[in-house]
Amino acid sequence: MIETPSYADALRILGCKDSRLAKVIGFAAAAARTGWALAGGGQLTAGLADMRKAIVDYGEDIVRRLPELRTGVDRHTRTQRLAAAHTVIVISAYFEALGEAKLPFTLEQLERGDRISHGVPTHERYARLMAGLLLDRLPTPEPHLPYAETRLAVERAYLRMSEAVAAYVSGLAVWDELTVDDQLLLPRMLAEGPPAHALRIYDEDYRSLALDSHELVVRSLVTEQPSPATALSRVAWLLAELAPPRVGDRPMIHLARMAANALDQPLLLAGKLPEDVSLPLLGEGYLTPRCRVAELTREAAPSLRAWWEEQRLLPDPEAFLVGHLTSLRATQAPLLVLGEPGSGKTKLTEVLGARLARSEFLPIRVELGGVAPRAGVTEQIEQAIQAVLAEEVRYADLVTAAEGALPVILLDGLDELVQGGVNRYDYLEQVQEFQRREAGLGRPAAVIVTSRTVVADRIRFPEGLLALQLQPFEDDQVRQWLDIWDQANRALLARRDLKPLPAEAALAHGEMARQPLLLLLLALYDAGSNALQRATPGPLKRARLYEVLLRDYTERETGGARRVQIDQELVLLGTVALSMLARGRQVITDEALNRDLPALCRGGEDDDPDEDEDRAGWARKATERFFFVRRNGHAFLHATFGEFLVAWLTMYALRDFDRRRRQAGDEPLALVQSVDDDLLYAVISHSCLAEHGPTVGFILELLDELPGAVRARCAELLAGLLRRSLHERRRRHFTGFRPVRHPLTRRLAAYSANLTLLIVAASEEPVAVSSILPGPDYLERWSALTHLWRGELGEEGWIGLTAALSAHRVIEGGGEGGVEGGREDVMLGAAETGGMGDVVAAVATGHTPRHRRLLDLLLRALGEGRGLPYRDRVAILEELLRTVADRSPAMHRALGAMWTEEGADHAGLRPLLRLMLADPADRRGTWEQLVKAGIPETVLWDLHQTAGSPPEHHRPD
């Protein structure tokens, strides 16, 4: 939860000068240092009746003076004062209602009596009461919560206050004067009377507060459905209502603000725009997305679409964004924006930055793909500032120059860090720590982070993290965007007797028309010859759309080149994408391209590096296309272009191998010397294709376009390559293509893993390991392969592989319920399974069938809900850990699920956790996976107090 102000905090923030209430501030400060018992509660000499009058009077004064409190201060101070004013009216309403409640005593009667009642000094009881009423944090309105939920939270706070008053009264002398019936009824009277009346008073005061506070008005707008808008235009209007636009900024700040203003740029900034279409401007063509919102906890599953379908839909995302940036939460925890590839995450940061640029905020946009991935948050921000201002500027100096404008850090592309092999799973916690540190230095900052939804299960969520998920377009949004496209291109297309893409033709392509980027690509492709408006066999698949768009654009740019020439152009683009994938980066330099492109596109090692041809021209030739943008180097217009091109190049290499193998036919030489796989090896031996899930999806779609006989032949050829993949090859071509210098074992691991992925993808039925690794030792050979993959592919490669390559163990001809007498095998590509991680642990370990059977039982009990007693499951886990040393993803999930189970025996699980962490070789990875599975990090820390030190970056603060 975020830190909201208590009543004592509110008095300090608002500068209360009332002497009676000032004592409360002193009491709160002392209580924070020493606890309430030593905080000088005896100095709170005023009685409850006097305190009520002071609190009610101050509440009325604050509502009256709110316009004065909001003027002449910076954005963050106004946010703090508004939250403090809300806290004041919450408490004021309760005390007013308490004084008017029909009780068997008056508040004045509570002040008389003995100094010591029922063995406890009266002043101590009074201090306890004040601590309960005035020191607890209270609810505050938030834009993602309807007013009804805030009101419900206030009501719960009132009930707690009534319980505290009841406990206070029961220890006073007046209690003994009450009848037995009054004593029995008093808790109920306090629970039903003051809270209900206080809520009515609170409603009135809240409305009065909202009249003078546009921030609260904005938060109430979140639940209303606005009229359609473009480019977050209502954000600008709502911000202008909060404060007038800033003018006369210092030169450095002016440059930063101007750099954020991208609304007059085309919707896509590319190296070379198509000449026969007009891209709408960002300020015209960006549609405000629909969003869902949720607060992420350890139980959240934000990587799953089904989980998001149950979360709250925001009717007005623009009001939410303004409300969030003017809330306490904005400077205490980052806002995470999730979306599918092409959903508009990057454009959201560009447009929001532009809208904030002329307001009381200072937007600083950071493309995480273009900064040092291992650098700290502050260093990454300063690198982005340097790229904008063309000079080194300290972040602190920039904020100081902003003179009170609230920095809004827009960190775009967290998935590039998570999938880049730098292990930044705790990046959001580092961002929150950056916010805490900056707030402590008097420089509070709001932070918004974007990421692909699919990697959300690899991120650790800090407390209080709020997340948005960008939703696909609805039909009305598709129509609205195509109307904008129509206005921009109708006249241009009419010159070629063409028409803009109509909504019906686009919507026929289903989900593809509902992602902003894909809708734009559909419109661009159709602008070539109105192909989508003519009769077609059916909706385009995503891979087909990317290929026809690339081919169509390349054909027009080259004046109608033949297919072979277009393929050469696509190979060039594919090599750029492959160089990025191998490096784990989405930005590449001219130097790297001028080295990599000729090495793969011209044959590699047989080339003379001193040829007359200018090697420096390769990068220019490749990146002048429409599909590239510049970001301190070269990047694809969107990451999915690179992911598709790697898939296309892989299929090109596979088709090349198949073609040459068929040409060899039954020639005598072919019988003794196999056709080389050098091109395929050069393409897929640098990294696991499954590191980026869309690449595998594109490969599947491209393979689906091949006839069944061709796919079967390719699967057979690939199986032959897999069986020989680890054998020595004395000579290969393309050896000059080395984007990253990996050890030979790493390349062999990537090659064999990718061959296995391609075999399964090309096969129409599940593939048995015994069929691709024939022989009596097929399970041992499978075990050797999987151990090689686990040890060499790195965390991202391994995680991607276990997610993409589904597998399960089968027993053929075994006895009932066991494996005795049966033949054990592994089936790859079975649709009903969701990953191979458990099979790697169960089969690849090389241990006995009995141990594998134990793991099967455990997985079945946990995954299918079958009722094994808790104690039996603990015993199964213990045997697996002690005899098999299993530390698979299944084991992490099992321990996490059992730890969080209701009534869990934590003491029984602690020895198992200690066993999991006993192996120093992978202690860091095990630690991280256990935390992600739900084991509290403090528990792991306690276990290590006697066994050794945990990884350094896991030490709790």
Side-chain angles (χ1 to χ4, degrees):
M1 297 294 291
I2 63 168
E3 294 184 359
T4 57
S6 67
Y7 186 76
D9 293 330
L11 298 182
R12 175 180 50 78
I13 292 170
L14 296 171
C16 176
K17 298 179 181 178
D18 187 302
S19 59
R20 293 168 296 180
L21 297 181
K23 290 181 179 179
V24 173
I25 302 177
F27 173 64
R33 295 191 303 269
T34 65
W36 71 267
L38 300 177
Q43 298 177 9
L44 301 177
T45 56
L48 196 57
D50 285 342
M51 184 62 72
R52 172 189 177 272
K53 184 177 187 310
I55 288 175
V56 172
D57 289 346
Y58 189 69
E60 294 173 351
D61 181 58
I62 286 299
V63 172
R64 183 173 60 255
R65 291 194 305 114
L66 186 61
E68 171 192 335
L69 294 171
R70 293 182 65 252
T71 57
V73 294
D74 61 37
R75 168 70 267 160
H76 184 64
T77 301
R78 288 215 308 280
T79 296
Q80 288 182 310
R81 288 185 177 181
L82 178 60
H86 178 267
T87 297
V88 166
I89 68 169
V90 170
I91 291 293
S92 175
Y94 181 80
F95 272 82
E96 183 175 349
L98 182 64
E100 297 173 358
K102 294 182 180 180
L103 300 172
F105 52 81
T106 65
L107 297 186
E108 288 77 8
Q109 287 178 284
L110 299 181
E111 299 175 14
R112 63 178 175 82
D114 299 331
R115 284 176 161 267
I116 296 180
S117 302
H118 295 259
V120 179
T122 302
H123 68 81
E124 183 175 321
R125 292 186 183 278
Y126 185 66
R128 286 175 183 267
L129 177 64
M130 290 299 102
L133 298 181
L134 307 181
L135 302 187
D136 286 347
R137 299 191 180 279
L138 294 169
T140 191
E142 293 201 75
H144 70 289
L145 298 176
Y147 176 72
E149 291 194 21
T150 302
R151 191 175 186 273
L152 184 61
V154 170
E155 182 180 15
R156 288 194 293 264
Y158 287 159
L159 291 173
R160 291 194 300 270
M161 293 178 194
S162 285
E163 291 174 0
V165 172
Y168 173 62
V169 173
S170 66
L172 299 179
V174 73
W175 176 260
D176 297 328
E177 300 173 7
L178 301 179
T179 65
V180 174
D181 288 342
D182 285 342
Q183 290 178 347
L184 293 175
L185 289 173
L186 182 61
R188 181 176 176 181
M189 295 168 69
L190 284 169
E192 294 179 352
H197 185 31
L199 278 175
R200 292 191 292 271
I201 300 172
Y202 167 74
D203 288 336
E204 296 176 4
D205 289 347
Y206 185 88
R207 284 192 290 271
S208 298
L209 211 61
L211 289 175
D212 293 315
S213 173
H214 194 66
E215 288 89 340
L216 293 181
V217 175
V218 169
R219 293 173 199 181
S220 67
L221 292 175
V222 173
T223 58
E224 300 177 8
Q225 180 70 51
S227 57
T230 60
L232 303 183
S233 56
R234 291 184 68 252
V235 168
W237 173 73
L238 294 171
L239 289 173
E241 291 291 319
L242 293 177
R246 291 173 63 99
V247 295
D249 281 324
R250 293 168 63 176
M252 183 167 58
I253 299 301
H254 180 68
L255 286 175
R257 291 187 185 280
M258 290 301 295
N261 195 352
L263 298 180
D264 293 333
Q265 300 293 335
L267 193 59
L268 292 179
L269 282 175
K272 187 176 182 181
L273 296 175
E275 297 178 355
D276 46 7
V277 297
S278 174
L279 293 180
L281 300 181
L282 184 62
E284 302 169 346
Y286 177 81
L287 296 190
T288 299
R290 291 190 171 99
C291 305
R292 293 187 182 273
V293 63
E295 186 168 345
L296 301 186
T297 64
R298 287 194 180 276
E299 293 73 32
S303 63
L304 302 179
R305 177 181 295 184
W307 183 84
W308 275 109
E309 290 174 352
E310 300 175 358
Q311 307 309 312
R312 178 178 289 120
L313 184 66
L314 281 177
D316 190 346
E318 295 186 62
F320 166 81
L321 288 171
V322 175
H324 173 76
L325 292 175
T326 57
S327 71
L328 292 175
R329 185 185 293 268
T331 56
Q332 294 183 21
L335 173 67
L336 179 63
V337 178
L338 298 173
E340 301 300 322
S343 61
K345 302 180 295 296
T346 294
K347 294 303 172 186
L348 175 65
T349 64
E350 292 177 358
V351 174
L352 182 59
R355 292 304 186 191
L356 296 175
R358 297 298 297 175
S359 70
E360 54 187 347
F361 297 91
L362 174 66
I364 303 174
R365 190 167 171 274
V366 181
E367 294 178 354
L368 293 176
V371 298
R374 298 182 185 274
V377 176
T378 303
E379 184 179 350
Q380 289 178 331
I381 295 172
E382 290 176 345
Q383 290 174 9
I385 294 172
Q386 181 178 1
V388 170
L389 302 180
E391 62 175 302
E392 291 188 12
V393 177
R394 292 176 63 248
Y395 169 74
D397 294 339
L398 187 69
V399 174
T400 301
E403 297 178 343
L406 181 70
V408 179
I409 314 300
L410 303 164
L411 300 171
D412 184 31
L414 174 57
D415 49 289
E416 297 187 29
L417 297 186
V418 175
Q419 295 183 313
V422 293
N423 196 26
R424 299 300 295 267
Y425 77 97
D426 59 347
Y427 186 75
L428 292 177
E429 291 179 335
Q430 295 179 25
V431 170
Q432 188 177 47
E433 179 56 34
F434 161 80
Q435 289 182 282
R436 288 173 180 164
R437 184 175 63 252
E438 290 298 308
L441 295 171
R443 301 189 298 260
V447 180
I448 298 177
V449 185
T450 73
S451 176
R452 290 187 180 186
T453 303
V454 70
V455 304
D457 60 347
R458 306 187 204 177
I459 303 170
R460 198 161 71 191
F461 308 129
E463 188 176 359
L465 183 72
L466 205 62
L468 293 181
Q469 194 207 35
L470 305 186
Q471 298 294 292
F473 277 173
E474 299 287 348
D475 288 4
D476 62 326
Q477 290 176 295
V478 174
R479 297 179 188 279
Q480 181 186 358
W481 191 88
L482 287 174
D483 285 343
I484 297 169
W485 177 260
D486 185 300
Q487 295 172 18
N489 287 281
R490 176 169 291 278
L492 284 173
L493 294 176
R495 299 174 186 173
R496 293 185 284 134
D497 295 326
L498 300 174
K499 297 180 180 179
L501 178 65
E504 289 69 22
L507 289 169
H509 295 272
E511 290 300 314
M512 287 187 60
R514 304 187 186 283
Q515 292 293 349
L517 175 65
L518 295 180
L519 178 59
L520 171 59
L521 297 185
L522 284 171
L524 278 172
Y525 170 57
D526 184 72
S529 60
N530 282 169
L532 296 181
Q533 300 182 48
R534 298 194 301 266
T536 56
L540 283 176
K541 290 186 176 180
R542 189 175 53 154
R544 180 61 178 162
L545 170 63
Y546 276 80
E547 182 169 12
V548 296
L549 181 67
L550 286 160
R551 288 187 176 280
D552 181 63
Y553 174 76
T554 303
E555 182 178 0
R556 281 187 281 160
E557 284 293 301
T558 55
R562 294 181 303 149
R563 181 182 180 87
V564 173
Q565 293 174 286
I566 294 175
D567 279 351
Q568 290 174 346
E569 293 293 319
L570 294 185
V571 167
L572 187 67
L573 294 175
T575 305
V576 176
L578 184 62
S579 295
M580 294 178 180
L581 176 67
R583 290 177 169 83
R585 302 284 287 157
Q586 293 187 10
V587 179
I588 195 166
T589 63
D590 283 344
E591 180 185 6
L593 288 179
N594 288 329
R595 182 174 63 252
D596 292 349
L597 292 177
L600 189 64
C601 299
R602 200 171 57 186
E605 65 174 9
D606 295 329
D607 290 336
D608 182 357
D610 296 326
E611 284 183 328
D612 293 335
E613 182 176 353
D614 182 15
R615 294 172 64 89
W618 282 89
R620 179 193 54 77
K621 180 182 178 182
T623 59
E624 67 180 0
R625 312 298 188 197
F626 165 64
F627 309 104
F628 287 92
V629 293
R630 290 195 62 84
R631 296 177 185 168
N632 296 324
H634 304 286
F636 280 102
L637 196 63
H638 193 275
T640 51
F641 277 104
E643 291 156 349
F644 166 76
L645 285 164
V646 169
W648 186 91
L649 187 62
T650 300
M651 291 302 302
Y652 177 88
L654 177 57
R655 292 195 307 269
D656 175 75
F657 178 70
D658 174 57
R659 175 182 56 80
R660 289 186 292 109
R661 185 67 187 83
R662 284 186 288 107
Q663 288 176 347
D666 295 330
E667 293 291 330
L669 186 61
L671 298 177
V672 296
Q673 181 179 354
S674 61
V675 176
D676 72 73
D677 59 336
D678 291 350
L679 178 59
L680 186 62
Y681 178 82
V683 170
I684 67 172
S685 66
H686 293 282
S687 59
C688 180
L689 295 172
E691 282 188 22
H692 294 270
T695 300
V696 176
F698 281 128
I699 288 174
L700 289 170
E701 291 185 12
L702 292 171
L703 282 167
D704 282 342
E705 296 183 359
L706 298 179
V710 176
R711 291 178 60 181
R713 185 172 67 242
C714 287
E716 183 178 354
L717 291 173
L718 289 166
L721 290 179
L722 177 64
R723 290 190 284 272
R724 303 190 301 272
S725 61
L726 304 185
H727 294 181
E728 180 184 7
R729 279 286 302 274
R730 295 188 177 183
R731 178 175 173 80
R732 283 193 183 275
H733 294 87
F734 308 106
T735 55
F737 181 69
R738 294 189 301 272
V740 180
R741 286 186 175 272
H742 287 310
L744 179 61
T745 50
R746 171 73 177 261
R747 295 195 65 178
L748 293 178
Y751 186 49
S752 55
N754 288 330
L755 287 174
T756 307
L757 280 170
L758 292 173
I759 292 169
V760 175
S763 303
E764 296 184 355
E765 300 292 334
V767 178
V769 165
S770 60
S771 68
I772 57 176
L773 299 174
D777 59 345
Y778 61 93
L779 281 184
E780 286 74 10
R781 293 164 68 190
W782 169 254
S783 174
L785 278 175
T786 54
H787 275 100
L788 176 66
W789 300 339
R790 179 66 181 92
E792 293 290 342
L793 291 182
E795 183 178 8
E796 287 305 314
W798 177 249
I799 291 175
L801 184 63
T802 56
L805 189 60
S806 60
H808 72 282
R809 185 174 69 93
V810 295
I811 306 295
E812 299 176 355
E816 182 179 354
V819 299
E820 287 76 7
R823 184 173 184 267
E824 189 175 6
D825 209 339
V826 176
M827 300 300 296
L828 305 176
E832 66 271 15
T833 59
M836 69 170 286
D838 302 327
V839 166
V840 171
V843 180
T845 54
H847 290 277
T848 65
R850 177 170 176 269
H851 293 143
R852 298 197 284 270
R853 181 61 174 163
L854 285 173
L855 185 55
D856 280 357
L857 288 172
L858 173 63
L859 296 176
R860 192 173 305 165
L862 294 175
E864 301 179 10
R866 297 185 181 179
L868 278 179
Y870 191 90
R871 185 169 54 186
D872 291 350
R873 284 184 283 157
V874 172
I876 292 172
L877 285 170
E878 184 175 7
E879 181 170 358
L880 284 166
L881 279 170
R882 294 188 183 280
T883 60
V884 189
D886 176 40
R887 289 174 173 81
S888 70
M891 186 65 73
H892 301 142
R893 290 195 299 269
L895 285 168
M898 293 175 69
W899 183 275
T900 56
E901 217 173 281
E902 186 175 355
D905 177 17
H906 291 169
L909 289 176
R910 284 175 181 269
L912 306 188
L913 295 173
R914 188 174 287 109
L915 280 174
M916 288 287 285
L917 297 168
D919 183 6
D922 194 31
R923 183 175 297 157
R924 175 178 172 180
T926 300
W927 184 292
E928 294 168 358
Q929 294 301 321
L930 288 173
V931 171
K932 290 180 183 179
I935 306 297
E937 197 163 17
T938 53
V939 172
L940 303 182
W941 172 261
D942 291 341
L943 291 175
H944 268 275
Q945 294 303 302
T946 55
S949 297
E952 183 66 26
H953 69 285
H954 289 298
R955 293 181 184 272
D957 294 334

